[in-house]
């Protein structure tokens, strides 16, 4: 035991001597570097809680999300798409802004599959979402109206959307076709359906309820203006590349 | 002829389609394939039949490249039995993986490569068909003499073709046709096929499901030809997975083969894809020239030995190197690696009362999705498999649609029809009791209910419902016992629409799934009345039994 203590003392003395021998500037330099590095680390940690800068494309299967994704990224729909089995996740500069001289910040867009079995994938990306684009098929709208409204209702009542007030854009796709419905019509239909859903979902006992929040003002017919987060409706056409309203939304909500 | 060939990513973007086969497909076969097969964890099947509206019947075959996340699909008319599709898909996969780049979205140069592959595959199929026809014409007797030289010619011709191809697909059909041979199966041909099959299997490591296999024959032949237990055990282990087939007459083997001759031939044995081919070949090669046979067998013997050595060395790999590989993260997952982990998971599923067939299918599907993937660094195989299995299970168990009965009832009310719910299940699970509880719940939500007593078999069933109805103060429609439940249900629904009830709850008799007449009666009830909701009531404690019940009920 004493031997050890002796050893340690001797080592201390040696270290002291060695430090004394170093030129003073070097010592100060090392101390300064260590200090600055630790300050930087602390700063980074505190200013990086959770980056929310993802734009999520969601919607029913077949509404045109993947085509929209590729239009935003490459400006063309390539050779077509099939039902997605996995999300498409990429960080890119919007195609229409590639030619601009000013430095534009790339956006992180995720296209989540719409198939009902793959719904849980949406929850993976929602915590970091800065905006959500709900793509609706304007051509084949009425047969899918109920299912689309249910999906939209589920999204609007998710905790992450309500708490963080994530803005939602309802994008009516396929408007290049003649028989596509107008966005006003779609908006009204969705509001009506969600109204009905509100009553039936809240009627279920609290043991069964899967929606975390309720929407709208009780007693009044539901309207998107009742939502705490901002819900807007716009039109687009994936095949022809008419996606300017979507891009506008993206630019608005992703800090440039 | 092929209708269409596609390569697309798992994210949904089509990377390449064959421009020559520009036929418009009727219906949407690919979307249906994805929705009802690949996402339902049936990707291990390999084949999918699709009936398009408009009397077009397609068959779809696919293969995955799990590492790059690509899917290769071939579509053709169902009436054509194209046999080269599998190998074509595998060839495409191999070629495409060389030129694939995640950043690129157009692959026009693949057209050329594909055209070549397609021509080769078709040429081979043609050859096989011709040989088959030629072989059928030869007389049975004296075949041994005739087929000797023709066999050699065929073999050489076959070999030449193989040189041109670079395929690693399994030759499932080989064994099949050697089986079909009318009793004079030539062991040399079998050995040849087996040899090629093994070499292919070794190269591509793809043991496709052998649809048949004269592999017992091959096994026996090998036993005799080599007379060494070592090889026999290897063959047995190799062929143990394959279905046993009827024994065929064997040829006599005369001593050992000169090994040197076989070693000179390093051609890639292309597959004799096509059942016709193998049959023809085997028909031609009657009693082999002893040399031929021995060359073949020794060739296969070489491949056997190589495989054995490979197996041995892989055994030596063992713990240490697998640890290294899991850290470095560069090893590619093979089916053999996945087997132990999958088996463990399958056993766990079965102890949790999942039916064996379902567990098996699930494991196959997970294996299909993991094969060829690179292991990430610091991950073990078992953890990768577990993660994949979890994801697959999550996918299966995610409900396709949310059942919102109140919403549906309101929708039906708007249309002026009553909403019909039928309760089915085996005996004694609690249909009538739950029916009463559901009625009470609906009443609480201000929906008018009517009961229909279609259990006309069990004594006391109608009285039971009558008591429930009296307590709940709701109307009940009954016709007593020994009546046809389908008719009773129909009249009940008519009565309900007359007195403006919103919902009709139909009680049926409990029945076992294997009781054919009762199942038929149930299907008649359902078809006649078209209920909006069929609720299968089952015990939560029962696992396997539920699966046995369910398919028979959904079949109707």
């Amino acid at each position: 035991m004493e031997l050890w203590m002796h050893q340690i003392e001797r080592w201390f003395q040696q270290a002291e001597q060695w430090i004394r021998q170093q030129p003073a500037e070097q010592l100060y330099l090392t101390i300064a570097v260590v200090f600055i590095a630790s300050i930087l680390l602390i700063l980074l940690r505190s200013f990086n809680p959770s980056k929310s800068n993802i734009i999520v494309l969601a919607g029913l299967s077949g509404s045109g999300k993947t085509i929209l994704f590729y239009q935003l990224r490459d400006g063309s729909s390539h050779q077509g798409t099939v039902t997605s089995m996995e999300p498409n996740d990429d960080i890119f500069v919007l195609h229409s802004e590639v030619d601009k001289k000013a430095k534009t910040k790339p956006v992180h867009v995720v296209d989540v599959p719409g198939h009902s079995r793959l719904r849980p994938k949406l929850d993976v990306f929602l915590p970091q979402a800065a905006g959500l684009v709900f793509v609706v098929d304007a051509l084949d709208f009425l047969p899918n109206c109920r299912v689309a409204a249910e999906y939209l209702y589920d999204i609007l009542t998710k905790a992450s959307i309500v708490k963080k007030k994530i803005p939602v854009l309802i994008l009516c796709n396929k408007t290049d076709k003649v028989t596509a419905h107008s966005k006003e019509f779609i908006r009204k239909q969705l509001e009506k359906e969600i109204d009905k859903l509100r009553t039936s979902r809240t009627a279920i006992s609290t043991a069964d309820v899967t929606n975390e929040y309720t929407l709208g003002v009780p007693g009044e017919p539901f309207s998107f203006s009742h939502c705490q987060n901002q819900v807007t409706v716009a039109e687009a056409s994936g095949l022809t590349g008419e996606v300017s309203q979507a891009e506008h939304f993206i630019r608005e909500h992703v800090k440039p | 002829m092929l209708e269409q060939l596609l390569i697309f990513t798992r994210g949904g973007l089509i990377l390449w389609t064959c421009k020559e086969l520009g036929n418009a497909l009727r219906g949407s076969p690919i979307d249906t394939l994805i929705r009802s097969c690949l996402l339902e964890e049936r990707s291990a099947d390999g084949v999918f039949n699709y009936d398009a509206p408009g009397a077009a019947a397609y068959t779809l075959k696919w293969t995955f490249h799990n590492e790059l996340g690509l899917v290769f699909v071939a579509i053709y008319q169902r009436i054509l039995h194209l046999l080269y599709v599998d190998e074509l898909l595998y060839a495409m996969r191999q070629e495409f993986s060389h030129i694939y780049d995640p950043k690129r979205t157009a692959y026009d140069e693949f057209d050329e490569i594909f055209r070549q592959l397609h021509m080769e595959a078709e040429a081979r199929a043609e050859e096989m068909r011709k040989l088959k026809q030629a072989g059928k014409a030869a007389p049975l007797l004296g075949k041994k003499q005739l087929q000797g030289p023709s066999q050699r010619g065929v073999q050489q011709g076959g070999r030449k073709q193989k040189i041109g191809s670079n395929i690693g697909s399994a030759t499932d059909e080989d064994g099949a046709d050697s089986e079909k041979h009318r009793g004079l199966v030539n062991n040399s041909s079998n050995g040849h096929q087996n040899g090629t099959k093994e070499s292919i299997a070794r190269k591509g490591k793809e043991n496709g499901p052998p649809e048949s296999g004269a592999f017992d024959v091959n096994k026996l032949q090998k036993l005799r030809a080599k007379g060494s237990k070592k090889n026999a055990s290897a063959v047995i282990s190799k062929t143990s997975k394959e279905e046993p087939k009827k024994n065929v007459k064997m040829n006599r083997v005369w001593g050992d083969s000169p090994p040197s001759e076989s070693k000179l031939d390093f051609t890639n044995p292309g597959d004799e894809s096509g059942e016709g081919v193998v049959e023809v070949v085997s028909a031609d090669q009657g009693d082999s020239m002893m040399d031929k046979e021995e060359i073949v067998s020794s060739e296969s013997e070489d491949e056997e030995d190589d495989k054995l050595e490979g197996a041995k060395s892989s055994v030596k790999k063992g713990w240490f190197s697998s640890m290294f590989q899991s850290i470095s993260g560069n090893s590619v997952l093979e089916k053999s690696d996945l087997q132990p982990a999958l088996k463990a998971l399958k056993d766990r599923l079965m102890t949790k009362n999942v039916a064996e067939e379902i567990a098996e299918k699930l494991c196959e599907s997970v294996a299909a999705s993991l094969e060829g993937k690179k292991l990430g660094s610091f991950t073990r195989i078992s953890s990768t498999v577990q993660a994949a299995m979890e994801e697959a299970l999550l996918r299966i168990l995610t409900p396709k649609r949310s059942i919102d009965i109140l919403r549906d009832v309101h929708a039906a009310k708007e249309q002026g029809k009553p909403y019909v719910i039928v309760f089915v299940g085996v005996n004694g699970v609690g249909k009538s009791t739950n029916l009463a509880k559901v009625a009470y719940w609906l009443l609480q939500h201000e929906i008018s209910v009517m009961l229909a007593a279609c259990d006309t078999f069990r004594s006391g069933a109608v009285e039971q419902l009558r008591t429930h109805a009296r307590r709940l103060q709701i109307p009940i429609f009954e016709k007593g016992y020994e009546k046809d439940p389908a008719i009773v249900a129909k009249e009940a629904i008519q009565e309900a629409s007359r007195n403006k009830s919103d919902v009709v709850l139909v009680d049926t008799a409990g029945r076992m799934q294997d009781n054919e007449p009762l199942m038929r009666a149930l299907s008649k009830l359902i078809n006649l009345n078209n209920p909006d909701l069929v609720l299968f009531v089952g015990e939560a404690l029962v696992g396997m039994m539920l699966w046995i019940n369910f398919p028979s009920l959904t079949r109707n």
Side-chain angles (χ1 to χ4, degrees):
Chain A
M1 203 41 218
E2 282 205 2
L3 221 72
W4 280 120
M5 299 219 22
H6 220 60
Q7 274 278 12
I8 293 171
E9 269 181 37
R10 238 187 298 147
W11 283 335
F12 266 140
Q13 283 170 0
Q14 280 182 357
E16 263 190 63
Q17 278 184 359
W18 183 83
I19 290 180
R20 294 261 162 76
Q21 282 173 9
Q22 302 300 323
E25 300 87 31
Q26 272 191 6
L27 268 179
Y28 292 150
L29 204 57
T30 39
I31 295 178
V33 165
V34 166
F35 188 57
I36 293 177
S38 48
I39 293 238
L40 274 179
L41 269 176
I42 297 174
L43 275 180
L44 278 175
R45 282 279 166 87
S46 59
F47 280 129
N48 250 5
S50 53
K51 298 177 277 190
S52 346
N53 57 354
I54 301 186
I55 298 280
V56 181
L57 298 178
L60 288 184
S61 191
S63 51
K65 302 177 289 295
T66 308
I67 292 247
L68 203 65
F69 179 84
Y70 283 104
Q71 281 286 358
L72 287 173
R73 190 180 89 164
D74 302 326
S76 92
S77 54
H78 303 294
Q79 297 173 46
T81 55
V82 294
T83 309
S84 312
M85 289 190 272
E86 283 181 359
N88 285 315
D89 184 354
D90 206 2
I91 306 181
F92 52 84
V93 179
L94 290 174
H95 182 79
S96 56
E97 299 181 345
V98 165
D99 316 316
K100 281 204 194 139
K101 297 295 185 219
K103 264 180 74 165
T104 38
K105 188 174 172 202
V107 295
H108 187 174
V109 181
V110 175
D111 154 38
V112 176
H115 194 261
S116 36
R117 292 240 194 249
L118 301 169
R119 291 276 163 88
K121 299 234 194 242
L122 179 63
D123 299 322
V124 172
F125 296 103
L126 275 186
Q128 299 164 320
L132 187 133
V133 179
F134 188 78
V135 186
V136 172
D137 185 350
L139 193 60
D140 216 5
F141 177 65
L142 284 173
N144 298 324
C145 182
R146 257 192 69 189
V147 192
E150 275 174 19
Y151 195 11
L152 185 59
Y153 183 82
D154 282 335
I155 290 181
L156 288 175
T157 50
K158 279 199 207 283
S160 38
I161 302 258
V162 176
K163 274 201 240 157
K164 294 204 224 157
K165 302 216 172 83
I166 297 179
V168 174
L169 172 74
I170 301 179
L171 194 65
C172 308
N173 202 6
K174 310 192 190 178
T175 49
D176 52 319
K177 301 280 194 286
V178 179
T179 45
H181 299 282
S182 70
K183 63 180 184 186
E184 283 310 318
F185 176 76
I186 291 180
R187 167 212 267 270
K188 283 212 196 73
Q189 286 292 334
L190 284 176
E191 285 180 349
K192 259 200 277 175
E193 285 291 332
I194 294 188
D195 200 23
K196 290 189 210 156
L197 274 175
R198 250 188 339 145
T199 41
S200 65
R201 291 287 173 98
T202 48
I204 301 177
S205 72
T206 42
D208 300 333
V209 71
T210 47
N211 300 107
E212 296 139 17
Y213 287 86
T214 52
L215 275 187
V217 178
E220 278 180 26
F222 175 76
S223 135
F224 284 124
S225 50
H226 294 171
C227 293
Q228 294 186 332
N229 50 335
Q230 184 195 30
V231 180
T232 41
V233 190
E235 286 181 339
S237 163
L239 278 183
T240 58
E242 176 52 48
V243 293
S244 52
Q245 297 185 17
E247 290 182 342
H248 181 73
F249 173 80
I250 294 178
R251 269 287 147 239
E252 215 178 294
H253 293 283
V254 174
K255 326 285 178 288
Chain B
M1 285 305 297
L2 285 173
E3 292 280 329
Q4 186 58 273
L5 269 152
L6 281 169
I7 304 179
F8 54 91
T9 65
R10 286 185 80 96
L13 182 71
I14 298 180
L15 290 176
W16 180 83
T17 67
C18 181
K19 297 195 185 46
E20 296 171 338
L21 315 165
N23 315 333
L25 296 169
R26 278 189 256 150
S28 47
I30 312 230
D31 283 334
T32 317
L33 169 73
I34 297 181
R35 285 195 197 143
S36 53
C37 197
L38 301 183
L39 284 174
E40 301 288 332
E41 297 308 314
R42 296 216 188 111
S43 38
D45 287 348
V47 187
F48 177 71
N49 291 321
Y50 173 70
D51 287 311
Y58 298 117
T59 300
L60 292 99
K61 285 202 174 168
W62 65 88
T63 182
F64 297 114
H65 193 298
N66 290 315
E67 178 58 36
L68 305 173
L70 301 174
V71 186
F72 301 79
V73 178
I75 309 174
Y76 54 95
Q77 301 266 4
R78 194 170 328 151
I79 41 179
L80 306 168
H81 290 283
L82 295 176
L83 303 152
Y84 57 83
V85 181
D86 282 319
E87 61 162 87
L88 186 60
L89 282 175
Y90 293 133
M92 275 170 63
R93 176 171 80 189
Q94 209 144 341
E95 289 300 316
F96 197 77
S97 51
H98 298 315
I99 65 175
Y100 176 66
D101 176 13
K103 299 273 181 267
R104 279 176 55 188
T105 51
Y107 293 85
D108 296 319
E109 69 268 19
F110 195 67
D111 285 342
E112 237 340 282
I113 305 176
F114 169 70
R115 212 172 298 144
Q116 233 175 324
L117 291 174
H118 195 194
M119 278 193 324
E120 283 169 11
E122 276 190 337
R124 234 169 296 120
E126 267 304 310
E127 269 268 349
M128 310 223 173
R129 206 157 45 83
K130 283 196 199 129
L131 290 170
K132 171 185 188 171
Q133 286 172 354
K136 274 193 183 141
L140 272 174
L141 292 170
K143 209 186 232 178
K144 300 203 169 192
Q145 314 303 335
L146 282 172
Q147 287 162 355
S150 55
Q151 166 217 341
R152 191 184 307 181
V154 161
Q155 275 202 344
Q156 287 186 353
R159 286 202 189 145
K160 278 200 203 116
Q161 280 176 337
K162 291 172 220 154
I163 293 171
S165 71
N166 50 344
I167 295 173
S169 72
T171 56
D172 335 352
E173 292 87 37
D174 295 353
D177 305 315
S178 48
E179 255 333 294
K180 290 183 191 150
H181 180 73
R182 296 173 232 67
L184 273 187
V185 173
N186 188 4
N187 288 333
S188 77
S189 75
N190 287 347
H192 178 61
Q193 308 315 334
N194 196 24
T196 57
K197 181 176 177 93
E198 281 164 15
S199 62
I200 290 167
R202 186 170 54 97
K203 281 186 188 325
K205 290 239 172 148
E206 280 154 343
N207 289 323
E211 282 145 20
S212 71
F215 289 110
D216 280 346
V217 175
N218 293 329
K219 182 168 72 177
L220 287 170
Q221 177 217 342
K222 277 191 195 309
L223 278 173
R224 285 203 211 163
K226 290 143 199 180
S228 66
K229 289 202 182 132
K230 174 179 83 151
N231 286 329
S233 63
V235 172
I236 289 172
S237 65
K238 219 187 134 18
T239 60
S240 59
K241 289 187 201 161
E242 288 140 0
E243 300 158 1
K245 277 295 181 164
K246 19 193 191 344
N247 278 327
V248 193
K249 189 172 161 193
M250 309 283 242
N251 281 326
R252 254 182 290 175
V253 175
W254 304 102
D256 291 325
S257 52
S260 54
E261 291 169 57
S262 61
K263 282 211 173 73
L264 293 176
D265 185 352
F266 285 109
T267 56
N268 226 336
D271 20 49
E272 282 79 10
S273 60
E275 307 182 334
V277 184
V278 181
E279 189 166 0
V280 170
V281 173
S282 56
D284 281 341
Q285 299 155 354
D287 198 23
S288 59
M289 319 269 293
M290 288 313 148
D291 289 357
K292 242 335 153 221
E293 179 189 316
E294 284 160 5
I295 287 175
V296 167
S297 60
S298 65
E299 174 183 59
S300 56
E301 175 186 295
D302 283 340
E303 267 121 17
E304 265 304 334
D305 287 340
D306 286 331
K307 180 144 211 303
L308 266 183
E309 278 159 19
K312 275 202 214 131
S313 56
S314 66
V315 162
K316 272 187 233 143
K317 242 172 55 172
W319 180 83
F320 206 49
S321 61
S322 69
M323 199 46 73
F324 263 159
Q325 282 195 331
S326 79
I327 293 182
S328 69
N330 271 332
S331 68
V332 176
L333 281 175
E334 299 282 345
K335 210 155 193 154
S336 49
D337 304 333
L338 296 171
Q339 280 310 337
L342 278 178
K343 188 158 175 358
L345 273 180
K346 183 179 157 199
D347 291 337
R348 265 174 76 181
L349 281 176
M350 279 168 54
T351 52
K352 298 287 176 197
N353 224 349
V354 177
E356 201 223 332
E357 267 195 42
I358 293 187
E360 180 69 45
K361 257 216 152 76
L362 196 56
C363 288
E364 273 174 28
S365 166
V366 170
S369 73
L370 280 180
E371 219 179 302
K373 248 199 170 143
K374 277 222 167 82
L375 267 184
S377 52
F378 288 106
T379 50
R380 284 171 296 135
I381 293 182
S382 57
S383 51
T384 320
V385 170
Q386 195 153 358
M389 176 71 89
E390 269 179 31
E391 200 185 310
L393 281 173
L394 192 66
R395 203 155 51 200
I396 294 184
L397 293 174
T398 309
K400 269 204 230 183
R401 48 176 277 245
S402 59
I403 304 224
D404 194 353
I405 296 196
L406 294 176
R407 180 82 193 71
D408 295 337
V409 168
H410 285 298
K413 206 166 163 179
E414 283 166 19
Q415 292 180 338
K417 300 186 314 176
Y419 189 80
V420 181
I421 305 180
V422 178
F423 288 76
V424 302
V426 294
N427 313 65
V429 294
K431 291 180 290 299
S432 311
T433 312
N434 272 303
L435 187 147
K437 292 192 171 189
V438 169
Y440 182 58
W441 177 72
L442 286 170
L443 282 176
Q444 283 195 313
H445 291 291
E446 285 131 34
I447 296 177
S448 57
V449 187
M450 187 169 109
L451 303 185
C454 295
D455 183 355
T456 52
F457 176 71
R458 200 193 72 195
S459 312
V462 181
E463 275 80 9
Q464 182 183 16
L465 276 190
R466 218 183 284 155
T467 313
H468 281 309
R470 204 175 41 230
R471 296 300 303 251
L472 294 167
Q473 299 187 325
I474 52 181
I476 172 171
F477 185 87
E478 53 177 327
K479 279 276 183 205
Y481 295 96
E482 307 252 348
K483 304 284 187 298
D484 186 0
I487 310 286
V488 176
K490 189 167 170 135
E491 295 178 6
I493 296 173
Q494 286 168 350
E495 176 75 25
S497 44
R498 262 201 298 271
N499 59 14
K500 305 268 185 285
S501 297
D502 298 326
V503 180
V504 179
L505 298 175
V506 178
D507 186 24
T508 59
R511 58 201 78 211
M512 288 297 285
Q513 68 283 356
D514 45 9
N515 197 329
E516 265 302 313
L518 291 185
M519 284 291 131
R520 252 180 281 128
L522 182 61
S523 63
K524 178 183 168 195
L525 187 148
I526 292 184
N527 290 335
L528 195 60
N529 300 304
N530 239 342
D532 297 291
L533 187 65
V534 177
L535 284 180
F536 174 84
V537 185
E539 287 179 346
L541 300 172
V542 173
M544 269 199 285
M545 285 296 130
L546 204 66
W547 171 73
I548 297 177
N549 294 351
F550 197 48
S552 52
L553 287 175
T554 51
R555 233 187 298 128
N556 313 327

